[in-house]
């Protein structure tokens, strides 16, 4: 059965639970900080604790697939359970897989995360467009069919990204602007918000320049960089301008460092969500 479009479900979740996405990033250093072993037992304990603490109260949980894949099939099994438990508790699951390929391979990646019959079926997935935006068509089409979403890398927060994303095409448009223009077309006429989003770093600040005008894509903007990477909720209106209401700030270490205490994890997530809501409402009173 096709779900209600992801954009509509995301808008409702953000309005009801606060505009926040929390990453589930069980890397070795964080497992150690929690006093856990860097093995399947530690992975299971970490993941279960994050889901227990947050899945019934944050809008979006974003598992980073690589940190589960490194444990092989048993790690993937933990990921499958986390996805199912998170969705059952009411959180939307954004699978951070950053897949990108062509033809039947891209179609297989899309089916892995966006086909309702898949054990890893998620509400949305991150993808890389650098084999050409058209290479993403299998994922875009399946997302539209199944009511799920796709987040396309556009203006990422890592400094290396600029050499590709800021490159200028023969027509004078940057590669990033081209991706945002494609997404705007995908989201045309969607209400209350389209299901096809972009990844735009919250740490970019003034470096966005003229690109800020391209951010109004009528779709969600996943914004990594809040917390440990240095950006704050107060930075969001300055970075995203008129598109700030569609921003989904992503916090990972800023929340996860408070584990394994469930109460502390919840308190941290609630604090970040409140700060984001306040910053967005101040910039856009209609969002309050």
């Amino acid at each position: 059965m096709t779900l209600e479009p992801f954009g509509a479900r995301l808008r409702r979740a953000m309005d009801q639970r606060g505009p926040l996405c929390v990453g589930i990033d069980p890397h070795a250093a964080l497992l150690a900080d929690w006093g856990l072993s860097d093995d399947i037992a530690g992975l299971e304990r970490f993941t279960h604790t994050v889901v227990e603490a947050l899945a019934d109260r944050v809008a979006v949980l974003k598992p980073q697939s690589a940190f589960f894949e490194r444990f092989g099939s048993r790690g993937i099994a933990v990921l499958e359970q986390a996805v199912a438990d998170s969705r059952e508790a009411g959180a939307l699951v954004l699978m951070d897989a950053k897949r990108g390929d062509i033809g039947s391979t891209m179609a297989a990646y899309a089916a892995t995360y966006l086909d309702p019959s898949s054990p890893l079926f998620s509400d949305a997935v991150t993808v890389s467009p650098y084999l050409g935006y058209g290479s993403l068509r299998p994922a875009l089409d399946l997302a539209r069919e199944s009511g799920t979403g796709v987040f396309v890398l556009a203006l990422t927060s890592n400094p290396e990204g600029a050499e590709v994303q800021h490159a200028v095409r023969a027509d004078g448009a940057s590669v990033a602007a081209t991706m945002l223009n494609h997404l705007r077309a995908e989201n045309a006429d969607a209400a209350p918000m389209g299901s096809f989003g972009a990844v735009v770093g919250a740490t970019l600040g003034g470096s966005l320049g003229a690109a800020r005008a391209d951010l109004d894509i009528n779709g969600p903007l996943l914004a990594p960089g809040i917390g440990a990477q240095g950006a704050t909720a107060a930075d969001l209106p300055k970075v995203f301008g008129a598109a700030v209401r569609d921003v989904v700030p992503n916090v990972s270490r800023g929340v996860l460092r408070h584990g394994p205490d469930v109460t502390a994890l919840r308190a941290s997530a609630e604090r970040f969500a409140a700060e984001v809501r306040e910053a967005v409402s101040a910039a856009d009173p209609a969002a309050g």
Side-chain angles (χ1 to χ4, degrees):
M1 182 175 65
T2 300
L3 297 169
E4 180 183 14
F6 172 73
R9 293 188 289 125
L10 177 60
R11 170 60 68 204
R12 184 167 57 250
M14 292 169 66
D15 290 345
Q16 293 176 350
R17 294 186 168 203
L20 190 68
C21 168
V22 178
I24 305 179
D25 297 355
H27 55 74
L30 192 51
L31 293 176
D33 289 345
W34 280 34
L36 300 174
S37 52
D38 187 22
D39 56 18
I40 286 293
L43 179 72
E44 285 183 315
R45 174 69 183 278
F46 177 94
T47 305
H48 175 77
T49 301
V50 175
V51 172
E52 177 190 7
L54 303 178
D56 65 346
R57 62 197 63 217
V58 302
V60 184
L61 285 175
K62 182 176 71 65
Q64 170 48 257
S65 182
F67 293 125
F68 296 85
E69 292 173 33
R70 70 191 184 99
F71 292 102
S73 61
R74 295 177 68 192
I76 296 298
V78 174
L79 180 58
E80 289 176 4
Q81 190 65 53
V83 170
D85 291 346
S86 296
R87 299 188 73 239
E88 184 177 359
L92 299 177
V93 173
L94 167 55
M95 183 64 69
D96 196 355
K98 298 184 179 70
R99 300 299 193 236
D101 216 306
I102 60 172
S104 59
T105 309
M106 190 67 226
Y109 281 137
T112 300
Y113 304 110
L114 303 178
D115 185 326
S117 67
S118 169
L120 285 170
F121 177 62
S122 303
D123 296 284
V125 65
T126 59
V127 296
S128 174
Y130 297 113
L131 288 173
Y133 184 84
S135 69
L136 302 178
R137 184 51 55 191
L140 299 167
D141 288 348
L142 183 54
R144 199 179 298 278
E145 176 186 331
S146 62
T148 54
V150 170
F151 284 84
V152 177
L153 302 179
L155 285 160
T156 57
S157 56
N158 63 305
E160 302 88 351
E163 67 180 276
V164 174
Q165 296 158 17
H166 292 181
V168 177
R169 293 160 30 109
D171 62 3
S174 71
V175 171
T178 301
M179 299 307 155
L180 293 166
N181 287 336
H182 282 305
L183 290 167
R184 188 177 301 108
E186 298 287 349
N187 292 322
D189 301 323
M193 179 168 65
S195 299
F196 302 96
V199 179
V200 179
T203 56
L204 296 178
S207 67
L208 276 178
R212 187 174 288 105
D214 295 315
L215 297 179
D216 185 8
I217 61 170
N218 191 33
L221 300 168
L222 181 67
I226 300 290
Q229 292 186 46
T232 69
D235 294 325
L236 295 176
K238 294 179 286 186
V239 175
F240 293 95
V244 69
R245 185 169 182 264
D246 295 333
V247 171
V248 187
N250 173 227
V251 181
S252 294
R253 284 172 290 172
V255 169
L256 300 179
R257 66 184 179 86
H258 294 282
D261 184 87
V262 167
T263 300
L265 287 166
R266 289 173 174 168
S268 179
E270 288 166 3
R271 183 172 61 254
F272 274 111
E275 291 172 355
V276 171
R277 194 191 297 272
E278 181 180 356
V280 172
S281 296
D284 179 9

